Amino acid sequence: MVAGGSASHCIFDGRVNIEKFAQETAADQIARGLLLTRRATINARPNLRIQADNVTAAHGCTIADLEEDQLFYLSSRGIEEKMARAVLIDSFIREITQLFGSGEEEEGPSFEK
């Protein structure tokens, strides 16, 4: 999830049901959110409903803005702040969208000046 506008509000209400007959199921659920403005908000509620006995399952959630140390690292290598932000945002989004790709590598945007 990416909340980028001045009044952006993202909501994630995830639910995984593991029924009683689904023994030896392995399930993971993670919700990641990126806040791009001070007023943007994200509400996330990962949820597992487990009725089976023999299950390996985990869930989690993390919501943050761009890390200052990552921006500093890129700027210390001569990358302007605007470009550094674009690289970090693209990396965040690409990690998610690659899960739904066709399996072929797609060429990303060019960050050349």
Side-chain angles (χ1 to χ4, degrees), residues 17-29:
N17 291 320
I18 301 175
E19 301 296 335
K20 188 174 185 173
F21 60 85
Q23 300 297 326
E24 298 184 19
T25 295
D28 293 313
Q29 182 185 61

Side-chain angles (χ1 to χ4, degrees), residues 54-76:
N54 189 7
V55 172
T56 302
H59 68 285
C61 176
T62 181
I63 299 170
D65 54 2
L66 293 176
E67 297 288 331
E68 289 298 322
D69 59 336
Q70 293 172 339
L71 289 168
F72 174 78
Y73 176 84
L74 293 172
S75 69
S76 69

Side-chain angles (χ1 to χ4, degrees), residues 1 12 17 22 27 47 50 52 56 58-59 65-67 69 93 95-96 98:
M1 298 169 282
F12 170 76
N17 291 320
N47 187 334
I50 302 170
T56 302
H59 68 285
D65 54 2
L66 293 176
E67 297 288 331
D69 59 336
I93 294 170
E95 181 180 350
I96 297 165
Q98 283 181 343

Side-chain angles (χ1 to χ4, degrees), residues 32-98:
R32 293 186 182 127
L34 180 60
L35 301 168
L36 299 180
T37 63
R38 292 182 189 262
R39 296 192 55 184
T41 59
I42 296 176
N43 296 96
R45 187 174 67 160
N47 187 334
L48 292 173
R49 182 174 164 258
I50 302 170
Q51 296 182 23
D53 295 326
N54 189 7
V55 172
T56 302
H59 68 285
C61 176
T62 181
I63 299 170
D65 54 2
L66 293 176
E67 297 288 331
E68 289 298 322
D69 59 336
Q70 293 172 339
L71 289 168
F72 174 78
Y73 176 84
L74 293 172
S75 69
S76 69
R77 271 119 185 105
I79 299 172
E80 295 177 10
E81 181 181 353
K82 185 176 179 180
M83 182 61 66
R85 293 178 69 80
V87 168
L88 293 173
I89 293 166
D90 181 70
S91 296
F92 180 87
I93 294 170
R94 187 175 302 273
E95 181 180 350
I96 297 165
T97 57
Q98 283 181 343

